Amino acid sequence: MEILLAPNSGFCFGVRAAINKGEKLIEEGKGPIATLGPLIHNPQEVARLKDLGITSYDDLDAIGEKNVLIRTHGVAPSVYQEIEQHGHNYFDCTCPKVKKVQQIAQKHAEDGYQVLILGDCNHPEVMAIVGWTNNTAIVFKELDELKRLSLDGKKVCLVSQTTEKIERFNSAVAYLEGLELDELAVHNTICAATRDRQSDASTLAKQVDLMIVIGGYNSANTCKLVSICKDTGVATKHVESAKDLEDSWFSGINKIGLTAGASTPDWIIREVIDKMEELTMEQGLEQGYGTLEPLNLYDIVTGTVVKINSDEVMVDVGGKSEGVIPIKELSFQKDPDVEDIVKVGDEIQVMVIKMENNEGHMVLSKKRADQEKAMDELQEKFENGDVIEAKVVSDVKGGVIVDIGARGFVPASHLDTKYVDDIKSFVGNTYRFKIIEFDPNPENRKIILSRRVLLEEEEKEAREQLWDKIEEGQVLKGRVQRIANFGAFVDLGGVDGLLHISEMGWGRVKQPTDVVNVGDEIEVYVLSADREKGKISLSLKKLIENPWDNAEEKFPVGSVLKGKVVRIAPFGAFVSLADGVDGLVHISQISWEHVDKVEDALSIGQEVDVKVLEVDGDRKRISLSIKDLKERPAVEKPAAPAKPKRQSKPKSDIPEVNEELSNDAFAQLADLIENN
């Protein structure tokens, strides 16, 4: 006799996430935890959770715990307010599927639609959805109830309880489409996992002589599974646990089908299977797992590779049919080379991840079995905070995968202390990591690692060491990390110092990139270090000879030099004689001829010859002349004036001139004319 387990059985995603959240809060010391209503519709699991410190209450007033877990069914908006008013902290574990229904119902209610909900008006999920419509939604269970509503001319939105039957939903849609509605918005909100579970149960029920449905007697989704199985005409039994099984049910039965509701934990499913095996063993029943030894979900078994296909590996695990390993379950490496991992004839360990696929084969996983073997060691490393060396084997969305004997995930934000622009650059390299999150549950295996936390620890230690020894006047090596318009930030080994643009050289620096670039390794002089404010000021020019030292010797008075015009002012032009040393050519020293504007005679960048007139090294001033290097033009003699008529006139300082004036007198006259 065979025992066949439906492919989709037991915990759904939402329930598993809620259970895991509650257990994690207890582990983190945030217990005891209260739940408003049972976290799961399974009395055995509720009892187990209570032993852990997670207690269910039907009334907020009865809750004395500080922290409250909101179950997967969700609650109305008013309940969140009440929880806060009672002074509790809450952790929202509303199933994402349920939350989506709430959002759809809320939006359509706000937009003037009459929201209709197919479901049980007394179910907590439905009650919460009604609350999100400001209590305007109408709930109906049967089509007759829907037909009694007056809806013509209205805008109508139809949603469903996530565990409803698709046939009932389709009937409601067909009826509404026949009405004269102003508008009809249909949202099939039946959970896909629920549909798959129900479809699998119906398919399996048609193949067996007896169906066993495991789940709480008050669980809506379990009761629907019972109803679906009975609708096929097969004998169906509903049990909460193994103790509810009766040996008389199995007399004369050849095939037994098994399914479980979304609130049924794996350990109860296993107990029921074990009990069924005991009851059927005496009747000589053949186990339906295809092995000589009974196998359960997530068991690890040794098998022999018998065939390798392009998309799967066939493994003989000792049963009536071979198990299959999908390529993606062979290794956690991206696009693995199958021949490098297994060969025909190899004995390998595999984990059972699905009792039967559509072709009747047990679905196996080598990578999960490998992970399981590494779990104990990894858990110990996680608990001890040990450092792990691992190779990055592939990049995925949001991070990379590392080989730690299991599949480890490193989020991009944990690869470095700085933003990572190219994740692919990490692939193929080996780094040191620390495990920061560890969940050994086979169904929800999660190992998250971080390189950043180690780098932060190293940087913190380096910062402390640097602050302990740094002092003014030191010369240190550093790397340019970042450049701003006012300077550059230099990493000195965990601490950044500022190299201001004014300290990059003795000459005028237009922009920092004229001197340094990101990534440059440079030596810098410590001007000051303030540990309390976390500020360090650095200098490059302190390590360069001051070009003004011994300026009188470098640029002696009377010497002629070449220079370049670097700046023009109304009073003259500055000429660069050397890096950091500019001299001034006053406007009066540009030409022997009168110059109205400096830019009329000189331009920036022009090379000129200059003569040093004066040097003041202390005041960093050098006076230059261009005109002194040019010949002074001769002064033209003025034409002799006409002989004046004899008449009385005031005396003048200008001597009378006649043709016999001496050269000296002419020069004297010319000077007087020029000065006047």
Side-chain angles (χ1 to χ4, degrees):
M1 181 157 304
E2 293 179 297
I3 301 174
L4 304 175
L5 180 64
N8 289 287
S9 302
F11 275 168
C12 68
F13 167 81
V15 171
R16 186 175 302 282
I19 297 293
N20 290 344
K21 181 64 176 179
E23 291 177 340
K24 185 175 181 180
L25 290 172
I26 293 296
E27 291 174 3
E28 293 174 349
K30 296 180 181 178
I33 306 291
T35 66
L36 190 55
L39 194 60
I40 181 172
H41 285 163
N42 184 283
Q44 291 78 17
E45 182 69 359
V46 169
R48 185 187 74 85
L49 292 173
K50 186 173 183 180
D51 290 340
L52 290 178
I54 304 172
T55 307
S56 168
Y57 297 91
D58 293 326
D59 190 345
L60 267 175
D61 293 331
I63 296 177
E65 289 84 350
K66 180 67 175 175
N67 296 320
V68 177
L69 203 64
I70 295 176
R71 56 184 174 174
T72 56
H73 299 313
V75 294
S78 58
V79 177
Y80 290 102
Q81 298 172 3
E82 289 181 41
I83 291 174
E84 292 178 345
Q85 289 171 0
H86 279 72
H88 302 297
N89 298 323
Y90 68 80
F91 299 89
D92 195 348
C93 290
T94 303
C95 173
K97 305 289 186 182
V98 175
K99 192 171 286 291
K100 181 179 179 181
V101 187
Q102 294 173 348
Q103 292 168 349
I104 292 172
Q106 181 187 29
K107 181 181 183 303
H108 283 81
E110 291 173 349
D111 290 344
Y113 285 77
Q114 174 57 66
V115 177
L116 302 178
I117 306 173
L118 172 61
D120 182 355
C121 63
N122 294 316
H123 193 280
E125 176 189 318
V126 175
M127 295 168 66
I129 297 170
V130 172
W132 284 93
T133 68
N134 199 22
N135 299 318
T136 61
I138 298 175
V139 182
F140 68 97
K141 183 71 173 174
E142 304 294 341
L143 189 58
D144 288 343
E145 298 176 54
L146 178 60
K147 291 180 178 180
R148 289 196 290 268
L149 299 176
S150 178
L151 300 171
D152 285 344
K154 293 185 178 181
K155 291 166 49 175
V156 173
C157 171
L158 175 65
V159 296
S160 172
Q161 186 176 338
T162 56
T163 55
E164 261 299 340
K165 293 181 180 179
I166 187 62
E167 295 80 11
R168 295 159 63 89
F169 184 80
N170 290 338
S171 296
V173 173
Y175 170 74
L176 291 172
E177 287 177 341
L179 299 180
E180 295 182 0
L181 302 175
D182 180 45
E183 194 173 332
L184 175 61
V186 175
H187 294 274
N188 182 356
T189 54
I190 298 174
C191 177
T194 299
R195 292 198 299 268
D196 292 343
R197 188 189 315 277
Q198 293 174 354
S199 175
D200 290 344
S202 177
T203 301
L204 181 58
K206 296 171 184 176
Q207 303 171 8
V208 299
D209 305 310
L210 173 67
M211 277 297 296
I212 303 294
V213 182
I214 313 170
Y217 292 133
N218 62 339
S219 168
N221 71 84
T222 303
C223 290
K224 285 185 177 64
L225 289 176
V226 174
S227 174
I228 288 169
C229 292
K230 286 182 176 180
D231 287 346
T232 66
V234 71
T236 303
K237 301 296 182 181
H238 182 180
V239 299
E240 276 193 348
S241 64
K243 66 180 179 60
D244 297 328
L245 294 170
E246 298 181 17
D247 54 2
S248 60
W249 295 347
F250 308 106
S251 178
I253 299 297
N254 294 316
K255 278 188 177 182
I256 304 170
L258 190 68
T259 188
S263 300
T264 308
D266 296 334
W267 63 270
I268 290 183
I269 297 175
R270 292 192 180 109
E271 283 185 352
V272 170
I273 292 174
D274 290 343
K275 181 65 175 178
M276 288 171 63
E277 290 171 355
E278 293 175 13
L279 294 174
T280 57
M281 192 75 73
E282 296 176 359
Q283 301 178 33
L285 300 180
E286 179 184 358
Q287 304 306 311
Y289 300 104
T291 63
L292 297 177
E293 292 290 333
L295 288 179
N296 297 315
L297 206 58
Y298 308 125
D299 280 354
I300 294 178
V301 62
T302 300
T304 304
V305 178
V306 295
K307 188 177 181 180
I308 297 176
N309 298 324
S310 60
D311 58 348
E312 63 185 16
V313 174
M314 308 295 292
V315 180
D316 179 6
V317 289
K320 66 175 185 179
S321 64
E322 294 154 347
V324 297
I325 306 175
I327 294 300
K328 67 178 183 179
E329 291 294 334
L330 195 61
S331 167
F332 52 80
Q333 296 184 32
K334 189 176 182 180
D335 300 324
D337 187 338
V338 178
E339 293 291 340
D340 289 343
I341 301 174
V342 294
K343 293 179 174 60
V344 173
D346 285 353
E347 277 198 354
I348 59 173
Q349 285 194 312
V350 291
M351 176 184 285
V352 180
I353 60 174
K354 197 172 185 179
M355 300 308 298
E356 190 174 325
N357 64 10
N358 293 335
E359 298 176 354
H361 294 293
M362 184 178 292
V363 182
L364 310 170
S365 173
K366 180 181 183 299
K367 71 178 183 181
R368 300 194 200 187
D370 293 341
Q371 287 179 336
E372 195 66 28
K373 289 186 291 184
M375 282 302 103
D376 290 342
E377 181 181 349
L378 290 173
Q379 183 155 13
E380 183 178 351
K381 289 182 180 296
F382 169 64
E383 293 171 352
N384 294 337
D386 293 342
V387 175
I388 297 175
E389 277 201 358
K391 183 178 181 180
V392 179
V393 295
S394 65
D395 62 289
V396 294
K397 183 178 180 181
V400 297
I401 302 302
V402 295
D403 181 1
I404 52 174
R407 183 183 189 273
F409 175 66
V410 185
S413 60
H414 280 271
L415 283 170
D416 207 326
T417 54
K418 302 177 289 297
Y419 173 74
V420 175
D421 185 51
D422 183 14
I423 293 178
K424 293 182 184 296
S425 64
F426 286 81
V427 177
N429 299 322
T430 299
Y431 301 97
R432 297 166 68 248
F433 299 97
K434 182 179 284 189
I435 301 175
I436 59 174
E437 192 171 340
F438 186 85
D439 184 353
N441 189 322
E443 274 191 316
N444 192 34
R445 173 118 334 131
K446 184 188 297 183
I447 307 173
I448 298 178
L449 303 95
S450 175
R451 176 172 175 257
R452 188 188 73 195
V453 296
L454 294 177
L455 295 177
E456 288 175 343
E457 291 172 3
E458 293 170 358
E459 289 175 0
K460 181 180 179 181
E461 184 178 349
R463 284 195 298 271
E464 293 299 321
Q465 291 178 355
L466 179 66
W467 281 115
D468 286 342
K469 67 180 182 181
I470 195 169
E471 58 185 26
E472 183 180 336
Q474 283 182 326
V475 177
L476 302 175
K477 285 186 178 181
R479 182 184 294 273
V480 179
Q481 292 285 68
R482 183 164 60 90
I483 290 179
N485 57 4
F486 53 83
F489 292 92
V490 181
D491 179 12
L492 302 174
V495 180
D496 286 352
L498 174 61
L499 174 60
H500 196 271
I501 192 170
S502 62
E503 291 294 331
M504 289 186 173
W506 290 101
R508 183 171 177 267
V509 178
K510 291 183 179 180
Q511 55 189 15
T513 49
D514 291 341
V515 181
V516 295
N517 291 292
V518 173
D520 287 353
E521 288 191 357
I522 58 175
E523 281 193 338
V524 288
Y525 179 92
V526 179
L527 292 175
S528 64
D530 189 331
R531 184 168 189 164
E532 185 177 337
K533 294 182 179 179
K535 292 183 178 181
I536 300 175
S537 297
L538 307 172
S539 175
L540 274 179
K541 72 181 186 182
K542 281 283 188 179
L543 302 178
I544 305 170
E545 181 185 2
N546 188 339
W548 285 96
D549 289 346
N550 303 316
E552 289 85 353
E553 297 176 9
K554 296 176 183 176
F555 313 103
V557 172
S559 61
V560 177
L561 306 171
K562 276 191 178 294
K564 182 180 290 187
V565 178
V566 292
R567 187 158 55 94
I568 289 177
F571 51 83
F574 290 91
V575 176
S576 174
L577 303 177
D579 285 344
V581 178
D582 294 347
L584 173 63
V585 179
H586 192 270
I587 191 171
S588 64
Q589 292 295 328
I590 294 175
S591 174
W592 289 105
E593 298 175 351
H594 177 71
V595 176
D596 287 329
K597 294 182 179 179
V598 178
E599 51 266 42
D600 291 341
L602 299 172
S603 59
I604 293 177
Q606 181 180 346
E607 289 191 351
V608 293
D609 291 328
V610 292
K611 180 180 179 181
V612 179
L613 300 179
E614 183 182 353
V615 179
D616 187 339
D618 294 335
R619 299 174 64 193
K620 296 182 175 60
R621 291 183 179 179
I622 298 178
S623 296
L624 306 172
S625 176
I626 293 176
K627 77 177 186 180
D628 278 8
L629 298 178
K630 298 178 181 179
E631 184 178 351
R632 180 173 180 172
V635 179
E636 294 183 4
K637 295 181 180 180
K643 188 174 181 180
K645 293 181 179 181
R646 298 281 184 181
Q647 59 182 9
S648 96
K649 59 180 180 179
K651 287 187 178 180
S652 169
D653 292 334
I654 301 175
E656 292 184 359
V657 180
N658 57 39
E659 294 178 355
E660 282 72 32
L661 277 174
S662 67
N663 288 336
D664 288 341
F666 184 83
Q668 183 182 5
L669 176 62
D671 287 341
L672 287 172
I673 293 172
E674 181 178 356
N675 291 333
N676 289 330

